[in-house]
Amino acid sequence: RPSSLHPIYSHPSVGVVKTHWPERSGCLPYNCRRVILLVRNPYDAIDSYWNLCVTNTHTETVDESIYAMYADKFRGLALGELKTWINFYSWWINECKDKGLDLCLIRYEDLAMDVSETFRDVMRFVLGVEELDAFWEGRIRHALDEEVLGAEAQHCTSRLGSYRPRNDESGQQGSFTESSISTSSTGGGRVPPTIAKSLRKKRYTDEILRQMHDTAAAISSNRGEEISLLKQFGYDIYEQDFPNNVESGTGMQFERIKYGGSSSTIRVNVGSEIRPRDDPYGRAMTNWRKGETAGDTEPFPIVMRLRL
């Protein structure tokens, strides 16, 4: 629960507050005592951010022709945003470690593979209990629509928020189908279509992917760390066989839940952001998009969504 620097956060009904800090500041400062850190592989996260920047929406996907037309821009964004991705997660992990705060790290991939159990893990952490009572079990079953969906609820992420996932090339949005199987040369991994779809669509050349892995390794080496965040989270393509390792549950080397037990707090929205103000791939992307689209009056073409 946040400890308030503003009255709104001290209200008993406020249990969890979403934040992008320290990548960017929110409107109000507050203190937090426990942290839920949601992680997504950088390949999909960066591709999603690219689409957010060029379409100015959370749900639309830009046409393939735009990737080709602005290949250099996308490459620069991919390499630059990987550093932001690393710095963001490193900041939270180190802050929790230094101050002894409880940390629950949830990978999007684990959520997509098993929504039901991962969601229950989060609730057990939030409530500070080992087992959920009948009331909370009932609330979760209702929220995930488990009684209606049955076994499908395990893999259905559409009940978790207001945003509909961006379509993949087949129009699939978040459940297992036989036509949406991700495989690699080292084996066949059956994963939901929302996992590693940027790799399946070949958004990144092998050169860019190699540079991303080299960059992650160099950052870790410069910080005196034995292993990069890519490997800690199981996202190394070449040595850990991501995304196929998601199905087997191997690769993840970071302890999912860490209890520090400290009464210390982290101050949110106070201090310096990790993204430089002159970063061409941060807020400057809005002006870039407007410059390329006549002030958004001639928007980039998008992939037509299938209405399910």
Side-chain angles (χ1 to χ4, degrees):
R1 181 180 301 280
S3 174
S4 176
L5 293 182
H6 189 280
I8 190 173
Y9 293 120
S10 62
H11 194 280
S13 65
V14 179
V16 179
V17 179
K18 173 187 173 182
T19 181
H20 292 286
W21 175 262
E23 186 270 332
R24 62 185 62 194
S25 299
C27 62
L28 299 173
Y30 62 93
N31 293 341
C32 73
R33 297 191 181 95
R34 307 176 81 221
V35 174
I36 300 171
L37 192 58
L38 182 61
V39 182
R40 189 182 189 186
N41 75 82
Y43 323 110
D44 287 347
I46 291 170
D47 186 49
S48 180
Y49 177 67
W50 163 261
N51 279 286
L52 169 67
C53 291
V54 297
T55 69
N56 198 29
T57 74
H58 287 275
T59 56
E60 304 294 355
T61 301
V62 75
D63 187 79
E64 293 293 331
S65 62
I66 302 304
Y67 281 90
M69 186 180 302
Y70 296 99
D72 289 342
K73 186 72 173 180
F74 179 75
R75 177 183 178 277
L77 180 139
L79 297 176
E81 286 307 293
L82 177 67
K83 297 176 183 178
T84 301
W85 184 90
I86 292 172
N87 290 336
F88 177 85
Y89 290 114
S90 294
W91 190 92
W92 278 104
I93 290 170
N94 291 334
E95 283 290 305
C96 289
K97 179 180 179 181
D98 292 345
K99 296 183 178 179
L101 268 61
D102 295 350
L103 170 64
C104 176
L105 188 143
I106 299 296
R107 294 195 312 175
Y108 170 83
E109 293 75 22
D110 297 326
L111 186 64
M113 287 293 294
D114 192 340
V115 177
S116 298
E117 186 56 32
T118 305
F119 195 69
R120 284 173 168 80
D121 284 345
V122 172
M123 289 307 302
R124 282 189 284 264
F125 177 82
V126 170
L127 297 170
V129 298
E130 293 185 3
E131 297 295 335
L132 298 171
D133 61 25
F135 171 80
W136 285 108
E137 276 291 340
R139 295 299 297 165
I140 291 173
R141 286 196 298 272
H142 174 75
L144 300 182
D145 216 2
E146 289 183 341
E147 293 183 3
V148 174
L149 295 174
E152 275 298 306
Q154 180 181 0
H155 309 299
C156 185
T157 58
S158 63
R159 300 298 193 275
L160 295 179
S162 58
Y163 295 137
R164 292 178 62 195
R166 292 187 172 94
N167 287 358
D168 71 2
E169 61 272 18
S170 65
Q172 300 297 331
Q173 294 184 330
S175 60
F176 276 114
T177 67
E178 292 303 324
S179 63
S180 55
I181 296 175
S182 174
T183 60
S184 78
S185 59
T186 58
R190 187 172 183 267
V191 298
T194 54
I195 295 177
K197 59 183 178 181
S198 62
L199 301 179
R200 188 169 62 250
K201 293 181 179 182
K202 301 187 184 302
R203 297 293 193 220
Y204 305 94
T205 64
D206 188 63
E207 178 188 6
I208 294 176
L209 289 174
R210 293 283 182 182
Q211 284 186 283
M212 293 174 78
H213 283 70
D214 290 345
T215 297
I219 291 175
S220 296
S221 178
N222 290 338
R223 294 175 177 176
E225 300 167 349
E226 296 183 0
I227 184 172
S228 71
L229 271 188
L230 280 183
K231 289 185 178 179
Q232 287 189 54
F233 295 157
Y235 294 146
D236 191 297
I237 294 172
Y238 303 105
E239 295 186 22
Q240 295 176 312
D241 194 28
F242 178 81
N244 292 316
N245 60 2
V246 174
E247 183 189 21
S248 64
T250 60
M252 177 72 160
Q253 300 183 31
F254 192 91
E255 187 178 356
R256 192 171 185 181
I257 297 178
K258 295 185 177 183
Y259 291 105
S262 171
S263 59
S264 298
T265 60
I266 294 175
R267 299 187 71 183
V268 179
N269 298 328
V270 177
S272 300
E273 299 174 359
I274 60 172
R275 185 190 291 277
R277 291 192 175 275
D278 60 351
D279 186 345
Y281 304 111
R283 293 175 177 84
M285 285 294 291
T286 298
N287 288 333
W288 173 81
R289 183 192 70 247
K290 289 183 176 181
E292 298 295 319
T293 60
D296 286 337
T297 62
E298 300 174 5
F300 292 125
I302 61 174
V303 177
M304 295 304 296
R305 296 173 61 89
L306 295 181
R307 301 301 176 183
L308 302 180

